[in-house]
Amino acid sequence: MKKLFSSMLTVTMLSIVLAACSNPGGDQSKNATNEPQNGGSSPKTETVTLKFWRPSGNDAENGAISKLIENFEAKNPGIKVDLENVPFDNYETKVRTALAGKTAGDIIAIDAPTMSSYANAGALYDLTSFMEADADLKDIPEGILQSMKYDGKYYIAPISEANIALFYNKKMFEAKGIPLPSKNVDEAWTWDQVLDAAKKLNDPAKGVYGIDPAQGFGGGEGPAYFKTPILWQFGAEVLSPDGSTAKGYLDSKEAKEALTFYQSLYQTYKVSPLELPPDPFPTGKVAMFVDGIWDLANFTTNFPNFKLGEDWDIAPLPKAKRQAMANGSWTFGVTADSKYPKEAWQLINYMTGTEGAKIYADMTGALPVRYSVVDQTPKMKEYPYSVFVGQLQKYSMPRPVTPAYPAVSAAIRELFEDVGQGNRDVNAAAADAVKKIDDAIEALKR
Amino acid sequence: MIAGKQYSLRRSDGITGFLFVLPAFILLLVFVFIPMAKAFYYSFNDYMLVSGSKTFVGLKNYADLLQDTKFLNSIKHTFYFAVIVIPVQTAIALGLALLVKPQFKYTGFFRTAFFVPVVISTAVAGTVFKLIYNRDFGLLNVLIGAVGIPKISLLSNADIAMNGVIILGIWKAAGFFMIVYLAGLNNIPQDLYESARVDGASKLQQFFYITLPLLKRTTAFIIIMTTIDAIKLSGIVFVLTSGGPNSSTETIVYFIYKTAFDQMQMGYASAAAFILFFMILIISVIQMLFLRSKVNY
């Protein structure tokens, strides 16, 4: 306790020193770059301009961020925020090129699993002292804290979270007389129960599939987000705890069980569609569908006749040996080359702190990260949100935290494609995936 | 005196000419040649995108690439695409051009209809074809099912997935080359056909002895362009398949993009880009030598 106190004291002192150091610096460079002072009537506070890059989201998300910035600027007259909403598809490419050219914004939005490659490359500012001083880390679930850290240091702060669950077509369940799964977070169905139900629900003649276990097959980060949890649920890990190898983990007995089960859904029992049509769940083409909280709004707006509670319901994500799903959504970090890390942190701290995160959650309907925000948002305690929030707080874990993450993500996508779509031997496919990841880890050491 | 005057005139002409060329030259230099030279330099380095860490590794990137099964497979997929698309698409373009060349009442409509796919954005076309190709619910399988042909899985069967990309590619590009062929056809003097008719040549003979030879330059242009487009294929792959299933539709350019911006291995990707550059260069030079036409009219 004494030790903790003294270390906190050191951190606080350190941040005061940092603050003291950074202020004159900020002022100086401001003097150098600002327009000549006008008539002298305006307040004498110098303004700092923070460049803030994020991928453009939907209207609600963009509106919420603008609102947060407005509030922040009103409270901090000395800081102006120059927001750039980058088109989503170009965002990662733009950020990566800009980081290499050292021209990225002061604050950048970061998809949590890519953080470690940026941090390892020295592109991010270490926020540990700031965070420990004033981010109230105890207000954040442990599983999420882990996704914010690389090498023991905090680099990013999340504004919202996401979570996935089992969506099921209630009418189809009732038609076949299958008992409905529980809505209680701690009573998830096992994959065996899911498979049983899927076999009964499967009806190829009518074009109905039993279950889509992980959003079919696609590109990008989606596959790793939806498919890594299947490995975890069967008791496997992707990497060794120290992140040095995938050997013995991604090709472990447990991992192969998970892959064999996944393969059997497509190839043995044929209860899962190899090619997903658009919107398969609300159009009744799959009876069970693993999907994310973000589709709640999509279904309500675009399929008003497909009603939650009447036509469909949400159950916790299936488990095998344990319950697990990935956390890590969009977060904010400060670039290492930023001239105003302290001011940048102030903005991030406002946006991701209780007040800002509450505004964001209210305006967008996204899952709040902080316990305090959940407590202040009654709807988060009610079904269907309770399923997602409960899972997030109890069972979510970060995707592998390693600078080789891009290679890990690609290897997992290809691995599940290989065994699911390609019906490839699980041993050979796992061996290939291990090699791809280990080669990438090796290459980073050079 | 006269000689001196001429000299100074020529000299000022030279300066004027140089000034005219200068803006274009600077643009090319800044936006094409310098980046190319830099990329060539990076291809000999272990250059990571975000960190910008660079270590000179000589030819290692090139040597590794030649043993990288993913890269070699992407070359294979690209060439499979090219080998089918070049003859088939060229034949279709020529066929369409011959169909819409005669002026009838609805010629304008058909010319437009065949050209429309060229104008449609790749993203839209890819999304629509994804729907058409879908194994269980797509239009394609409904149609061929009606005739009694078993279902085909263009999006999930690795053995045939590239053919789905090929069909979309041809559908998308044939109309453009139809227009080029149309221009070529309109350049052939009509009197040649008239005299052939007088001599009693059949339509088929007219096609093989007049039309085809006189289209040789157009054909050469089209084949070279199609080859370059085919080898640079990537947009369709992005929207239709994302390289899957089982990486069976990953093309060279797709591989380069993923390596550079997903895996952030800029040096490795630059080396792959230069291998691609030299491949296109060599193929184009060979094609130009073979397709060089001596026919003038």
Side-chain angles (χ1 to χ4, degrees):
Chain A
M1 206 56 217
K2 210 170 180 183
K3 211 170 162 192
L4 183 78
F5 179 72
S6 72
S7 70
M8 270 172 73
L9 196 73
T10 326
V11 166
T12 322
M13 278 167 62
L14 199 75
S15 46
I16 292 166
V17 172
L18 272 174
C21 288
S22 66
N23 257 341
D27 290 349
Q28 259 174 17
S29 58
K30 186 61 209 160
N31 280 344
T33 53
N34 204 13
E35 301 128 47
Q37 285 185 340
N38 40 21
S41 60
S42 61
K44 68 170 180 52
T45 38
E46 322 274 342
T47 49
V48 162
T49 303
L50 293 175
K51 281 196 293 169
F52 176 16
W53 288 10
R54 64 179 283 272
S56 187
N58 60 33
D59 291 346
E61 288 158 4
N62 294 346
I65 293 287
S66 300
K67 172 91 185 132
L68 291 177
I69 290 175
E70 229 172 77
N71 290 356
F72 177 78
E73 286 179 337
K75 283 184 190 170
N76 299 274
I79 306 175
K80 285 223 84 57
V81 182
D82 175 11
L83 172 68
E84 191 175 337
N85 286 316
V86 181
F88 190 87
D89 291 344
N90 298 336
Y91 184 71
E92 293 284 347
T93 308
K94 180 177 164 117
V95 164
R96 288 168 187 197
T97 333
L99 285 175
K102 308 206 181 302
T103 53
D106 299 281
I107 301 167
I108 53 172
I110 297 169
D111 191 10
T114 52
M115 175 269 287
S116 15
S117 7
Y118 293 175
N120 184 58
L124 296 181
Y125 189 89
D126 175 6
L127 298 174
T128 314
S129 57
F130 290 148
M131 288 222 193
E132 284 173 349
D134 47 28
D136 190 10
L137 295 172
K138 283 198 286 300
D139 195 24
I140 298 175
E142 177 57 32
I144 299 174
L145 284 179
Q146 283 171 20
S147 74
M148 298 155 54
K149 267 190 282 196
Y150 170 68
D151 219 4
K153 297 181 191 116
Y154 290 106
Y155 287 98
I156 47 176
I159 187 164
S160 66
E161 261 293 347
N163 198 260
I164 59 176
L166 182 70
F167 292 26
Y168 64 93
N169 191 313
K170 202 172 161 188
K171 290 252 164 80
M172 288 187 190
F173 268 65
E174 284 164 354
K176 301 270 174 183
I178 303 167
L180 303 175
S182 161
K183 289 170 187 164
N184 184 337
V185 172
D186 300 316
E187 293 169 12
W189 266 15
T190 63
W191 277 111
D192 287 334
Q193 282 174 295
V194 171
L195 176 59
D196 266 352
K199 284 186 203 156
K200 290 177 197 151
L201 293 157
N202 209 41
D203 194 347
K206 285 195 190 146
V208 176
Y209 281 96
I211 176 157
D212 172 65
Q215 300 268 309
F217 304 91
E221 176 57 23
Y225 181 72
F226 276 93
K227 292 170 175 106
T228 316
I230 299 180
L231 295 166
W232 293 336
Q233 286 151 10
F234 280 80
E237 294 290 340
V238 177
L239 295 182
S240 61
D242 64 353
S244 64
T245 180
K247 188 138 194 62
Y249 295 87
L250 192 52
D251 56 358
S252 65
K253 191 173 108 298
E254 290 82 7
K256 284 175 187 168
E257 259 175 60
L259 292 167
T260 310
F261 174 80
Y262 178 81
Q263 186 171 48
S264 73
L265 292 177
Y266 288 95
Q267 303 290 345
T268 317
Y269 306 112
K270 301 195 192 300
V271 291
S272 301
L274 285 167
E275 295 176 18
L276 273 183
D279 300 310
F281 184 63
T283 55
K285 283 163 185 150
V286 294
M288 288 180 279
F289 191 61
V290 171
D291 201 357
I293 183 170
W294 54 86
D295 260 340
L296 281 181
N298 172 26
F299 293 166
T300 343
T301 340
N302 297 324
F303 300 91
N305 295 325
F306 188 64
K307 291 197 177 67
L308 179 69
E310 284 175 36
D311 300 291
W312 62 288
D313 262 318
I314 295 173
L317 195 66
K319 64 178 178 187
K321 293 189 179 100
R322 58 175 166 174
Q323 274 179 274
M325 71 286 306
N327 58 30
S329 183
W330 284 96
T331 66
F332 302 118
V334 179
T335 50
D337 298 308
S338 169
K339 284 200 208 85
Y340 313 111
K342 187 181 156 281
E343 286 83 356
W345 164 250
Q346 283 176 353
L347 174 61
I348 293 180
N349 195 30
Y350 172 71
M351 292 191 295
T352 63
T354 306
E355 185 190 332
K358 168 94 171 88
I359 294 174
Y360 188 84
D362 286 345
M363 288 179 73
T364 63
L367 280 187
V369 173
R370 291 175 173 274
Y371 292 119
S372 58
V373 180
V374 173
D375 285 341
Q376 291 171 28
T377 318
K379 112 177 157 175
M380 289 297 157
K381 306 228 156 144
E382 289 160 21
Y383 175 82
Y385 292 95
S386 55
V387 178
F388 297 106
V389 172
Q391 290 191 125
L392 177 71
Q393 294 183 346
K394 278 187 171 172
Y395 301 116
S396 75
M397 47 203 276
R399 282 157 275 178
V401 179
T402 161
Y405 187 75
V408 172
S409 172
I412 286 180
R413 173 173 63 76
E414 286 163 10
L415 173 60
F416 278 85
E417 262 183 33
D418 271 359
V419 299
Q421 266 184 329
N423 200 15
R424 195 167 163 218
D425 175 58
V426 166
N427 294 312
D432 259 14
V434 166
K435 188 175 178 308
K436 278 177 213 160
I437 294 173
D438 281 5
D439 282 355
I441 293 173
E442 203 52 45
L444 277 170
K445 282 187 196 147
R446 285 199 305 264
Chain B
M1 280 304 279
I2 292 166
K5 205 176 177 184
Q6 265 181 350
Y7 173 66
S8 71
L9 191 71
R10 224 183 281 143
R11 198 175 134 107
S12 74
D13 272 359
I15 292 170
T16 316
F18 181 71
L19 286 176
F20 269 113
V21 177
L22 194 64
F25 178 72
I26 290 176
L27 285 177
L28 271 176
L29 190 72
V30 173
F31 291 108
V32 179
F33 297 125
I34 293 178
M36 265 183 80
K38 276 196 124 171
F40 191 57
Y41 167 69
Y42 291 149
S43 74
F44 299 105
N45 285 275
D46 194 355
Y47 175 45
M48 295 300 283
L49 184 56
V50 173
S51 65
S53 69
K54 265 196 300 259
T55 21
F56 188 79
V57 292
L59 287 169
K60 183 170 179 301
N61 284 335
Y62 290 91
D64 286 352
L65 273 169
L66 296 177
Q67 288 168 15
D68 185 338
T69 43
K70 226 171 154 58
F71 179 64
L72 297 178
N73 281 333
S74 76
I75 295 182
K76 214 168 77 190
H77 303 148
T78 307
F79 274 86
Y80 176 74
F81 181 88
V83 163
I84 297 201
V85 163
I86 295 164
V88 174
Q89 182 176 300
T90 309
I92 290 175
L94 178 57
L96 290 178
L98 289 168
L99 277 177
V100 298
K101 184 179 177 281
Q103 291 286 351
F104 292 119
K105 200 172 164 194
Y106 298 113
T107 306
F109 168 76
F110 283 109
R111 285 183 183 179
T112 316
F114 294 149
F115 192 72
V116 162
V118 180
V119 188
I120 291 176
S121 92
T122 309
V124 174
T127 314
V128 171
F129 269 72
K130 225 172 174 169
L131 289 174
I132 295 176
Y133 286 164
N134 187 285
R135 184 175 178 280
D136 300 302
F137 312 100
L139 180 66
L140 177 73
N141 278 318
V142 173
L143 288 180
I144 65 170
V147 198
I149 303 171
K151 282 185 177 177
I152 48 174
S153 325
L154 282 174
L155 297 175
S156 61
N157 183 344
D159 298 333
I160 57 170
M162 201 64 202
N163 298 321
V165 179
I166 288 173
I167 295 170
L168 173 53
I170 292 178
W171 177 83
K172 186 97 183 59
F176 176 77
F177 294 109
M178 171 194 82
I179 298 290
V180 179
Y181 262 131
L182 207 55
L185 283 174
N186 286 330
N187 268 340
I188 302 175
Q190 285 304 311
D191 43 356
L192 291 176
Y193 292 106
E194 274 163 35
S195 58
R197 261 202 302 281
V198 172
D199 289 345
S202 69
K203 281 273 178 199
L204 215 58
Q205 284 172 320
Q206 286 177 29
F207 176 74
F208 280 109
Y209 292 104
I210 302 172
T211 313
L212 219 45
L214 288 182
L215 280 179
K216 202 174 168 191
R217 283 180 152 197
T218 315
T219 309
F221 168 76
I222 287 177
I223 288 182
I224 291 171
M225 289 311 292
T226 312
T227 310
I228 294 174
D229 283 353
I231 295 178
K232 282 178 12 188
L233 170 76
S234 67
I236 301 176
V237 173
F238 267 100
V239 282
L240 189 68
T241 64
S242 310
N246 311 122
S247 311
S248 62
T249 55
E250 266 184 21
T251 59
I252 307 177
V253 175
Y254 189 84
F255 172 88
I256 293 172
Y257 176 83
K258 287 278 156 191
T259 311
F261 293 104
D262 267 9
Q263 305 297 326
M264 301 184 247
Q265 297 171 311
M266 238 352 170
Y268 199 55
S270 299
F274 272 91
I275 294 183
L276 174 67
F277 171 76
F278 285 113
M279 263 166 29
I280 295 183
L281 185 71
I282 292 167
I283 293 170
S284 299
V285 167
I286 294 174
Q287 280 180 335
M288 280 186 229
L289 288 176
F290 270 95
L291 296 169
R292 185 176 286 166
S293 176
K294 294 186 191 77
V295 185
N296 268 313
Y297 49 85

